[in-house]
Amino acid sequence: MELHDVWFVLIAVLWIGYFFLEGFDFGVGVLTKLLARDRSERRVLINTIGPVWDGNEVWLLTAGGATFAAFPEWYATLFSGFYLPLLLILICLIIRGVAFEYRHKRPEDRWQTNWEHAIFWTSLIPAFLWGVAFANIARGVKIDRDLEYVGTFWDLLNPYAILGGLVTLSLFTFHGAVFTALKTVGDIRMRARKLALGLGLAAAVLGLGFLVWTQVSKGDGTSLVAMIVAVVALVGAVGMLKAGREGWSFALSGVTIAAAVAMLFLTLFPNVMPSSLDPAWSLTVTNASSSPYTLKIMTWCAGIAAPLVMLYQGWTYWVFRKRIGTQHIAADAH
């Protein structure tokens, strides 16, 4: 296996990690309006992800940086062609981070309500747009012979991509509801479990349609295996949730996300960004990659730094592993 193939796999792993981790905290952000009944319950939801949400976003920075360094042509075409949706995602992530930090700084009702609205919308919009973006990458976009995107923003809003966005939105919200059931106690835990069952069924219907569409149009034997794993894991996640086993349900919902993202990357390889105008104009792991020397240096750096980062993030989750409820929220807490 060549180094550019290795880095394609590593970038896929980074995106899987990002969607697994950021997926549930996007879902929790959406649940601040769908599940929480009052400000105290919204505070409980925010506290479940408070210690980890910013660490989860490190996976996005790493995935973007790895793409830039390992496949500069892919990075350039992707970020120029998808400029508007990616800019909107970036703005949402910035506002979302500010909302988490500033919501409790002042006691006024209007101040806190506005930031709570910001948390909801800046969680929902990226959860949808990431699905739109990756669906378009898997489907193929208008790339010319100069390896440049020549389509428009509206070309990205096709039925397949919109379905992809609905899949990620529903799946992330389900993932977040399961995480909430895992991390809370009392009535909010029971309601999160009940809501997650409905969200799981919606995600199953949308996800099955999207994955079958992908398999029929782009898939092969390996992608079919990934699709089966995703479907079985999602069914298992719903079943475990009904049995009251939130930990297993959360693990299986994570496997669903991982298998679905892996399926998209399997349908891509050896392309990284297919051209819908002419397959010969597609970006591949060969024509989009950096030099072998650059990839070699990157491999050494990643081999040293990545385990340390993962150990630190795992320790963070261990430290903040306990369940919380409204009884843990001080009466005068902003």
Side-chain angles (χ1 to χ4, degrees):
M1 180 181 286
E2 299 290 337
L3 277 179
H4 51 64
D5 297 330
V6 172
W7 274 97
F8 178 85
V9 174
L10 291 176
I11 287 171
V13 170
L14 289 171
W15 281 111
I16 288 171
Y18 173 66
F19 288 135
F20 181 102
L21 297 172
E22 188 87 304
F24 74 74
D25 68 50
F26 280 147
V28 171
V30 174
L31 292 175
T32 57
K33 293 294 184 183
L34 299 184
L35 178 65
R37 291 175 173 173
D38 54 35
R39 180 146 294 147
S40 181
E41 290 191 350
R42 281 191 287 275
R43 188 64 196 170
V44 169
L45 293 178
I46 293 171
N47 282 1
T48 63
I49 60 174
V52 298
W53 69 267
D54 47 355
N56 295 343
E57 290 189 354
V58 171
W59 288 77
L60 172 61
L61 299 176
T62 308
T67 304
F68 172 76
F71 299 100
E73 288 284 354
W74 183 13
Y75 183 94
T77 303
L78 175 64
F79 277 78
S80 59
F82 290 32
Y83 181 81
L84 285 178
L86 292 179
L87 178 62
L88 183 55
I89 289 173
L90 177 61
I91 292 172
C92 285
L93 294 180
I94 293 171
I95 295 174
R96 186 168 178 263
V98 173
F100 283 134
E101 299 297 333
Y102 275 71
R103 175 197 167 276
H104 64 285
K105 296 297 184 182
R106 289 169 56 179
E108 292 89 346
D109 182 74
R110 183 175 180 181
W111 172 272
Q112 296 191 22
T113 299
N114 288 339
W115 287 121
E116 287 164 1
H117 287 317
I119 290 172
F120 171 76
W121 287 109
T122 56
S123 297
L124 185 148
I125 293 171
F128 175 76
L129 288 180
W130 278 127
V132 172
F134 271 80
N136 275 296
I137 294 173
R139 174 178 176 265
V141 292
K142 294 179 179 180
I143 298 175
D144 64 10
R145 66 174 66 249
D146 297 320
L147 306 182
E148 295 181 358
Y149 179 75
V150 293
T152 67
F153 170 76
W154 302 109
D155 292 327
L156 302 177
L157 299 180
N158 54 79
Y160 176 76
I162 291 174
L163 177 59
L166 293 174
V167 169
T168 51
L169 176 58
S170 60
L171 191 55
F172 289 171
T173 308
F174 168 69
H175 197 39
V178 176
F179 180 78
T180 301
L182 177 64
K183 288 286 293 178
T184 57
V185 294
D187 179 61
I188 192 170
R189 176 189 177 190
M190 296 298 105
R191 285 188 283 113
R193 186 188 296 175
K194 182 178 180 180
L195 179 60
L197 290 173
L199 291 169
L201 293 176
V205 172
L206 293 169
L208 183 61
F210 178 77
L211 294 179
V212 169
W213 191 345
T214 303
Q215 178 64 27
V216 170
S217 59
K218 298 281 187 177
D220 56 15
T222 54
S223 63
L224 178 61
V225 172
M227 185 188 80
I228 293 172
V229 171
V231 172
V232 171
L234 183 54
V235 173
V238 174
M240 286 295 176
L241 193 63
K242 290 186 69 174
R245 304 293 297 273
E246 292 104 340
W248 281 103
S249 180
F250 179 71
L252 287 171
S253 66
V255 170
T256 302
I257 293 172
V261 177
M263 181 186 178
L264 293 181
F265 276 93
L266 287 169
T267 61
L268 272 179
F269 188 80
N271 295 322
V272 294
M273 209 165 176
S275 172
S276 60
L277 300 178
D278 187 335
W281 298 342
S282 297
L283 290 167
T284 68
V285 293
T286 303
N287 66 17
S289 71
S290 294
S291 67
Y293 181 75
T294 300
L295 296 178
K296 184 177 180 179
I297 296 298
M298 288 177 60
T299 303
W300 279 105
C301 293
I304 296 171
L308 298 176
V309 173
M310 294 178 70
L311 284 172
Y312 171 76
Q313 191 166 22
W315 175 79
T316 303
Y317 276 89
W318 174 255
V319 169
F320 295 99
R321 66 190 181 277
K322 293 184 179 180
R323 295 176 181 267
I324 62 173
T326 53
Q327 67 270 28
H328 300 114
I329 304 299
D332 60 348
H334 296 168

